[in-house]
Amino acid sequence: MMTKTKVLNFVQKYTMIIALVLVTGFFAWRTNGKILMPQNITNIISQNAYVFVLATGMLLCILTGGNIDLSVGSVVCFVGTVGAVAMSKGMNMWLAVLVMLAVGLLIGSWQAFWIAYVKVPPFITTLAGMLIFRGLSNVVLQGKTLAVKNESFVKIFGGGAKCYVPDIFAKEGVEINILCLVVGIIACALYLFFTLRNARSRKKAGLETEALYVTIVKAVVIVAVIMFFTLRLAQYKGLPMALIWVVAVVMIYTYITSKTTVGRYLYAIGGNETATRLSGIDTKRIYFFAYANMGLLAGLAGILTIARLTSAQPTYGQNYEMDAIGSCFIGGASAYGGVGTVPGVIIGALLMGVINIGMSIMGVDANWQKVVKGLVLLAAVIFDVVSKKKNS
């Protein structure tokens, strides 16, 4: 009975990882392995960079009690519009980047003020923002496309053919990207180091730790996955620049949510806002942080978007908010708030990316792709609701 309970707990804890493996295996079978080709692995990262960034920010909003931000797609479009116009008028690339991030932060702060201090519901505030900034994007661009011609900007932030980290270890006659393999090995070593250190710290503090075999199995699987994807990237063109920005965001926000007081307060508010406020925590400030931060990351997503597409259009960013929200809930964030992790959200975003590219390779109609994504999102939320009822 105890073994069965452990198995059930393991499956429940790693449901999304298991689902990602099964879905990837399904599409590998249905596409005759095409989805695992090096170029397609790279495309999953480059084409979904904005999802990883936006979903990370959306998680912080959801943690506060299941709240969401519907404006992020429009903010991405508007920020990209501002940046494209600024660079077309001769503004320095880095100054334009700072302007775009500042515009995103200002928009996020503006919406955060109404949500945190005036108590306008997040749904209404961000719905208004979605309409406002989509309209402003059209006004500025006058319904036209504006090309981004700054090659340095595109190379540093984009996802095109030239947007890869140069291989400093490249050797003549060697086709594989050596730098990519070195980075993968270092990533595996760091993961193992921090896993062992965390287990040792918990044991020393007298806290509950995973069984040794669970830790070993998990470590072996994760290291194998990292090296598999690293090898695939190395067989194509190496590390996409978009991946560097995504990894930076994931590392920063994993630290914020797991190691800082602000992160603990976000989870506390989602667990019980009234109790959190009565304990002396300024819940308004935490709400403000979550939505201002969402604006900042929408600014970064806007930069990545116009760099990858090398242009700004009034239609950019449509449904981006849905991709971000779906990734969070599929990745284990609770619809009630207070539950969710950045790594889980990234797994959710990867799952969505695999489904998208897998169905595209299979030639599935775009409308049916939306149906499948909607069903996957609904299933994830149903799983969360049912789990809550069983545990209550």
Side-chain angles (χ1 to χ4, degrees):
M1 184 69 182
M2 189 64 181
T3 304
K4 183 178 178 181
T5 302
K6 285 183 177 180
V7 171
L8 290 174
N9 289 338
F10 179 85
V11 171
Q12 187 174 9
K13 185 176 181 180
Y14 298 107
T15 300
M16 287 304 110
I17 297 177
I18 296 170
L20 178 60
V21 171
L22 292 176
V23 169
T24 303
F26 170 78
F27 282 116
W29 168 56
R30 294 295 296 170
T31 62
N32 296 318
K34 290 181 181 178
I35 195 172
L36 297 178
M37 291 175 62
Q39 184 174 356
N40 286 328
I41 296 295
T42 301
N43 288 339
I44 289 174
I45 295 169
S46 299
Q47 293 175 9
N48 292 281
Y50 74 90
V51 183
F52 299 129
V53 173
L54 292 177
T56 301
M58 191 68 71
L59 173 66
L60 272 60
C61 298
I62 291 173
L63 287 177
T64 60
N67 300 305
I68 56 176
D69 187 336
L70 294 174
S71 70
V72 291
S74 297
V75 175
V76 165
C77 183
F78 182 68
V79 167
T81 297
V82 170
V85 170
M87 285 187 282
S88 70
K89 295 184 180 298
M91 181 179 286
N92 175 272
M93 179 196 83
W94 290 109
L95 181 57
V97 168
L98 290 176
V99 168
M100 284 187 275
L101 292 175
V103 169
L105 181 60
L106 284 172
I107 292 172
S109 299
W110 181 72
Q111 295 189 141
F113 170 77
W114 300 114
I115 294 168
Y117 294 100
V118 186
K119 295 298 182 182
V120 179
F123 182 88
I124 300 300
T125 302
T126 59
L127 177 62
M130 179 176 71
L131 299 173
I132 292 168
F133 297 108
R134 179 66 62 186
L136 287 175
S137 299
N138 274 281
V139 169
V140 174
L141 290 174
Q142 297 180 340
K144 300 177 182 178
T145 299
L146 180 62
V148 176
K149 299 179 180 179
N150 190 309
E151 291 187 8
S152 297
F153 175 80
V154 172
K155 287 181 180 179
I156 294 172
F157 295 100
K162 299 180 180 179
C163 308
Y164 293 84
V165 180
D167 185 4
I168 59 175
F169 302 113
K171 294 182 179 180
E172 189 175 349
V174 179
E175 295 183 0
I176 201 163
N177 190 290
I178 300 174
L179 174 64
C180 190
L181 291 178
V182 170
V183 171
I185 292 169
I186 293 173
C188 291
L190 288 173
Y191 168 76
L192 292 173
F193 170 76
F194 285 113
T195 298
L196 292 173
R197 193 181 73 167
N198 183 54
R200 191 175 300 170
S201 299
R202 291 182 65 86
K203 188 174 182 180
K204 189 176 180 180
L207 300 174
E208 184 180 356
T209 57
E210 290 181 327
L212 181 60
Y213 75 91
V214 174
T215 303
I216 293 174
V217 170
K218 187 168 69 172
V220 169
V221 170
I222 291 176
V223 167
V225 169
I226 292 174
M227 289 310 302
F228 173 79
F229 280 102
T230 299
L231 182 60
R232 286 306 197 188
L233 293 175
Q235 290 172 333
Y236 187 55
K237 294 181 179 179
L239 298 169
M241 287 301 302
L243 178 61
I244 305 301
W245 295 108
V246 169
V247 169
V249 168
V250 169
M251 291 178 66
I252 290 169
Y253 285 89
T254 297
Y255 178 81
I256 289 174
T257 54
S258 62
K259 302 294 184 181
T260 67
T261 54
V262 171
R264 288 193 289 272
Y265 291 164
L266 285 166
Y267 286 100
I269 290 173
N272 191 323
E273 183 179 351
T274 303
T276 303
R277 185 174 61 253
L278 292 175
S279 67
I281 296 171
D282 187 351
T283 56
K284 293 179 180 179
R285 183 172 62 86
I286 304 303
Y287 269 106
F288 188 92
F289 169 79
Y291 281 91
N293 173 77
M294 185 71 258
L296 177 65
L297 290 183
L300 176 58
I303 293 169
L304 296 175
T305 297
I306 65 169
R308 182 174 70 86
L309 300 173
T310 64
S311 64
Q313 283 186 15
T315 56
Y316 285 172
Q318 288 184 343
N319 294 323
Y320 278 21
E321 59 278 351
M322 299 307 169
D323 290 334
I325 294 167
S327 297
C328 288
F329 289 132
I330 291 170
S334 173
Y336 302 102
V339 175
T341 63
V342 173
V345 165
I346 298 305
I347 291 170
L350 276 173
L351 182 58
M352 294 285 279
V354 168
I355 291 172
N356 284 336
I357 198 166
M359 289 192 293
S360 295
I361 294 172
M362 289 173 61
V364 177
D365 182 77
N367 293 315
W368 281 109
Q369 290 185 31
K370 293 177 182 178
V371 171
V372 172
K373 288 163 66 176
L375 290 173
V376 171
L377 174 59
L378 180 61
V381 176
I382 289 172
F383 179 80
D384 173 53
V385 172
V386 172
S387 298
K388 285 283 190 301
K389 286 182 179 179
K390 285 184 178 180
N391 295 330
S392 61

